[in-house]
Amino acid sequence: MSSTSLKEMRNGGEDYSNGHGGGVRDLYGEDCATEDQLITPWTFSVASGCSLLRDPRYNKGLAFTEGERDAHYLRGLLPPAVFNQELQEKRLMHNLRQYEVPLHRYMAMMDLQERNERLFYKLLIDNVEELLPVVYTPTVGEACQKYGSIFRRPQGLYISLKEKGKILEVLKNWPEKSIQVIVVTDGERILGLGDLGCQGMGIPVGKLSLYTALGGVRPSSCLPITIDVGTNNEKLLNDEFYIGLKQKRAAGQEYAELLEEFMRAVKQNYGEKVLVQFEDFANHNAFDLLEKYSSSHLVFNDDIQGTASVVLAGLLASLKLVGGTLADHTFLFLGAGEAGTGIAELIALEISKQTKAPVEKTRKKIWLVDSKGLIVSSRLESLQHFKKPWAHEHEPVKTLLDAVKAIKPTVLIGSSGAGKTFTKEVVETMASLNEKPLILALSNPTSQSECTAEEAYTWSKGKAIFASGSPFDPVEYEGKVFVPGQANNAYIFPGFGLGLIISGAIRVRDEMLLAASEALAAQVSQENYDKGLIYPPFSNIRKISAHIAAKVATKAYDLGLASHLPRPKDLVKYAESCMYSPGYRSYR
Ligand SMILES: NC(=O)C1=CN([C@@H]2O[C@H](COP(=O)(O)OP(=O)(O)OC[C@H]3O[C@@H](n4cnc5c(N)ncnc54)[C@H](OP(=O)(O)O)[C@@H]3O)[C@@H](O)[C@H]2O)C=CC1
Ligand SMILES: CC(=O)C(=O)O
Ligand SMILES: [Mg+2]
């Protein structure tokens, strides 16, 4: 049946759709179409008027000048007041601070990102210490847990098993063609919250907003991707609002084939120099993917390599406070997965670099505890491959407390994803063994932190040097204020990625990670040390990122892996000059 006859039937034989009889003109037949009829989704290509206001990249809201309002058909679409960006920022910060629920702040920030991109980044850059916990850990963790209910508009690409065989086409659906960084997750190990399936999308989105805010990478060249191979999270599988594939996770060959198609399509579509950052994959895939693709693609695993680099930086800096060299220390980890073994290996490499001792030897002062106890040689056969290098000669030890007593570490690092595992006795034992025990509770979000800052300072009677993955407020103990640092890979990956981009690097190497650690450690000032800090404040992060980028780029050039020639003379200045700045632009 034709659409005209349908309309006529509804209107008693008369067609009113073109304005006859006082009706509103329905030029494209959109209003009168029934659900089973096809219409064309029309849009305009030149942004002016409402389409300009609705384009987050160009929208300036009330900051459009009088001239721009005339030239771009905005008269009447905005109230008469003209605000500059500073006033808009002030208003937004005022509004954000009214929300008592962190998730509401997160949602307000996401709305802003979708409405006015430059204002979003200006706000984030200028208020980084206040807003990092909103767009990143801990709040992003809750956002991922509730992503199904707060989902409004796609913020990244979803590639599911349904797209098998069509991944290249899916990549082409993304509106931006010139991509420099992809952050990709399969949602299986989201922070310390486990398998959140497709709802893990909040993580690539959050990480990439930090690439822009902290590292100056243009937002249009960042692409968040979630690969959906199902989920083993029963709660999500039974949730009617779950946004992902409702099936158990694909594994083995099916998983490997999808990832292979994805990696090929990425290279085919964006070229050799696109950086693919693997994020929050479970360890049974993460190590293999990194190994498989590190010789053919520019890949970086943030949880293994970024975390290693940030922790090594903190350790190098801490030597100013605790004394000695890295080789003088003994390290004990709770958690022997991506973060734990990644950090352990980079520490061993740095000690080897400093002492010229073989890495097999420098590993001997690094011990790890997993869910079954201390990793020792008698467990060798049953260990996953990434744990085997850490199976030293020792009798079996079941608990962390007994391991602390037996190994007598100077440094205790939590990378277990299990909250409250640094108990009072553990911290007290560390304090009894060391003048200044270094305690890092890396697990995210805050609920999974091995201990709180307050616990670390009070149980150690003010002796601990403490940093955590998610931020804690300063703590007052016996009249003294202790400021905890944030040991989070957010210090590293934005500058690291920028260094790869500005040098046109084609591969990532461990030497670049070591260079990034040294660059970050060098940014800790005497004023920071005086407060007991082993990381510089995030408020200087763009300057820090430029220094990290310069050192990473230098390594890329030295190793013959850089393709951007000639090599710029002053790489710090060059990195700074490449950074995206979120101030408004004037429209002709
Ligand atoms: N601050 C930062 O920048 C970063 C923090 N992280 C955080 O680190 C945590 C771990 O991440 P990741 O290494 O990728 O995770 P993995 O799953 O790879 O590793 C977790 C490890 O912890 C062990 N473990 C878990 N529960 C316990 C427990 N109760 N007692 C002893 N060991 C336990 C596991 O043991 P087993 O092997 O026996 O199962 C495993 O070895 C997460 O919370 C994550 O948010 C990660 C990256 C960066
Ligand atoms: C910080 C981070 O990458 C994580 O917790 O997984
Ligand atoms: Mg991560």
Side-chain angles (χ1 to χ4, degrees):
M1 187 182 286
S2 80
S3 63
T4 312
S5 60
L6 257 176
K7 273 184 275 175
E8 284 175 1
M9 274 171 58
R10 278 209 305 266
N11 297 326
E14 297 217 44
D15 179 6
Y16 300 143
S17 64
N18 284 333
H20 303 298
V24 177
R25 281 170 72 84
D26 179 18
L27 271 186
Y28 303 112
E30 290 166 17
D31 297 339
C32 64
T34 57
E35 273 185 27
D36 54 356
Q37 287 178 305
L38 302 177
I39 61 152
T40 305
W42 282 103
T43 178
F44 299 93
S45 56
V46 179
S48 69
C50 270
S51 62
L52 180 55
L53 295 179
R54 287 185 186 136
D55 185 331
R57 181 148 5 136
Y58 296 110
N59 179 30
K60 300 197 270 187
L62 287 182
F64 280 109
T65 62
E66 300 288 356
E68 287 170 335
R69 291 174 191 215
D70 282 332
H72 297 279
Y73 306 95
L74 297 171
R75 284 272 162 218
L77 299 180
L78 292 164
V82 178
F83 286 8
N84 62 20
Q85 205 177 16
E86 282 65 42
L87 190 58
Q88 287 183 306
E89 262 192 282
K90 188 174 169 189
R91 186 173 72 112
L92 276 163
M93 285 311 291
H94 171 82
N95 291 348
L96 277 173
R97 287 175 185 139
Q98 308 299 308
Y99 292 113
E100 285 183 3
V101 178
L103 190 63
H104 293 164
R105 273 188 217 156
Y106 175 89
M107 289 164 70
M109 284 299 282
M110 292 304 108
D111 280 350
L112 177 61
Q113 191 175 21
E114 282 170 19
R115 199 169 66 238
N116 182 338
E117 191 175 85
R118 284 185 177 272
L119 190 53
F120 170 82
Y121 284 111
K122 184 85 169 64
L123 207 67
L124 191 50
I125 292 167
D126 291 348
N127 303 275
V128 64
E129 291 192 317
E130 186 171 346
L131 296 181
L132 208 54
V134 178
V135 300
Y136 192 53
T137 182
T139 312
V140 72
E142 189 187 352
C144 288
Q145 287 174 312
K146 298 177 180 161
Y147 211 74
S149 12
I150 64 175
F151 172 84
R152 290 179 201 200
R153 293 172 68 185
Q155 296 172 294
L157 269 182
Y158 295 89
I159 298 177
S160 77
L161 287 169
K162 285 196 222 170
E163 279 72 55
K164 192 163 189 294
K166 293 184 265 188
I167 296 183
L168 188 60
E169 286 166 50
V170 176
L171 292 181
K172 289 187 191 297
N173 286 344
W174 187 250
E176 304 295 343
K177 302 298 162 217
S178 171
I179 298 297
Q180 292 175 309
V181 189
I182 290 172
V183 175
V184 58
T185 188
D186 72 357
E188 192 168 5
R189 195 287 276 141
I190 294 299
L191 308 177
L193 301 170
D195 183 352
L196 296 184
C198 194
Q199 305 199 161
M201 181 57 106
I203 296 293
V205 168
K207 291 273 177 184
L208 282 166
S209 67
L210 303 195
Y211 258 104
T212 299
L214 315 190
V217 178
R218 260 198 319 277
S220 58
S221 47
C222 296
L223 172 54
I225 297 185
T226 294
I227 295 194
D228 185 353
V229 295
T231 178
N232 295 337
N233 182 329
E234 287 298 330
K235 206 169 151 217
L236 293 179
L237 289 173
N238 293 320
D239 179 353
E240 64 172 322
F241 296 132
Y242 179 54
I243 56 172
L245 284 187
K246 286 208 174 185
Q247 64 171 70
K248 290 274 186 198
R249 274 188 181 275
Q253 197 181 340
E254 194 181 9
Y255 180 90
E257 280 174 10
L258 194 75
L259 268 288
E260 174 68 17
E261 185 190 338
F262 168 69
M263 293 303 289
R264 274 176 193 272
V266 159
K267 201 159 153 179
Q268 193 175 338
N269 208 35
Y270 304 116
E272 186 91 4
K273 286 180 279 181
V274 64
L275 170 63
V276 178
Q277 173 165 318
F278 294 117
E279 192 70 52
D280 290 9
F281 284 72
N283 61 38
H284 54 92
N285 290 316
F287 288 100
D288 295 348
L289 287 172
L290 185 60
E291 196 184 320
K292 182 168 178 191
Y293 292 107
S294 59
S295 55
S296 57
H297 290 67
L298 183 68
V299 288
F300 168 71
N301 184 301
D302 189 34
D303 301 298
I304 302 171
Q305 299 173 301
T307 315
S309 188
V310 78
V311 170
L312 178 61
L315 296 175
L316 293 173
S318 74
L319 297 175
K320 279 249 170 79
L321 297 173
V322 297
T325 66
L326 213 52
D328 296 329
H329 286 271
T330 305
F331 306 86
L332 179 66
F333 288 78
L334 181 72
E338 294 168 65
T341 62
I343 302 162
E345 186 64 11
L346 204 65
I347 296 173
L349 283 177
E350 176 71 16
I351 299 177
S352 168
K353 187 180 143 194
Q354 289 180 5
T355 61
K356 311 274 182 282
V359 73
E360 293 73 23
K361 188 162 174 234
T362 61
R363 287 190 186 122
K364 298 285 182 213
K365 285 188 79 182
I366 305 173
W367 297 82
L368 293 97
V369 172
D370 66 8
S371 64
K372 297 186 178 64
L374 190 64
I375 296 182
V376 291
S377 50
S378 55
R379 294 179 53 196
L380 192 65
E381 287 307 306
S382 62
L383 291 172
Q384 288 149 287
H385 66 91
F386 49 87
K387 294 180 184 169
K388 287 189 193 283
W390 311 101
H392 308 321
E393 287 299 327
H394 199 286
E395 65 203 37
V397 177
K398 275 274 165 243
T399 69
L400 175 65
L401 181 61
D402 287 342
V404 172
K405 287 177 181 164
I407 303 299
K408 301 189 175 30
T410 54
V411 180
L412 178 65
I413 300 177
S415 52
S416 61
K420 311 230 165 290
T421 37
F422 290 174
T423 58
K424 187 164 186 270
E425 281 172 302
V426 166
V427 175
E428 282 174 352
T429 310
M430 282 300 290
S432 72
L433 292 168
N434 299 285
E435 193 53 44
K436 286 182 180 163
L438 185 56
I439 299 179
L440 305 180
L442 300 181
S443 294
N444 297 314
T446 316
S447 58
Q448 309 310 112
S449 189
E450 283 79 6
C451 67
T452 65
E454 186 168 11
E455 287 165 349
Y457 294 124
T458 54
W459 291 342
S460 70
K461 298 200 164 37
K463 287 168 88 177
I465 296 166
F466 176 79
S468 53
S470 298
F472 283 107
D473 287 335
V475 174
E476 198 178 325
Y477 174 73
E478 296 197 336
K480 196 172 161 204
V481 176
F482 293 83
V483 186
Q486 192 175 349
N488 193 295
N489 49 30
Y491 273 110
I492 291 290
F493 68 79
F496 192 86
L498 181 66
L500 298 174
I501 291 170
I502 62 171
S503 59
I506 52 161
R507 300 286 178 268
V508 169
R509 292 281 183 271
D510 287 341
E511 290 93 324
M512 298 173 181
L513 299 171
L514 295 177
S517 303
E518 288 161 17
L520 176 56
Q523 293 298 313
V524 188
S525 67
Q526 192 54 49
E527 190 193 341
N528 305 147
Y529 286 125
D530 292 344
K531 289 186 191 151
L533 284 169
I534 55 171
Y535 292 101
F538 266 113
S539 50
N540 290 338
I541 187 67
R542 281 173 72 102
K543 177 181 152 243
I544 296 166
S545 293
H547 281 268
I548 293 174
K551 290 284 188 227
V552 171
T554 302
K555 271 288 166 227
Y557 283 107
D558 292 350
L559 294 169
L561 292 168
S563 65
H564 179 113
L565 298 168
R567 174 184 186 146
K569 279 205 182 68
D570 185 335
L571 277 162
V572 175
K573 279 216 176 84
Y574 182 63
E576 278 169 344
S577 75
C578 293
M579 285 184 166
Y580 164 87
S581 87
Y584 286 142
R585 303 295 182 259
S586 301
Y587 302 150
R588 70 171 65 82

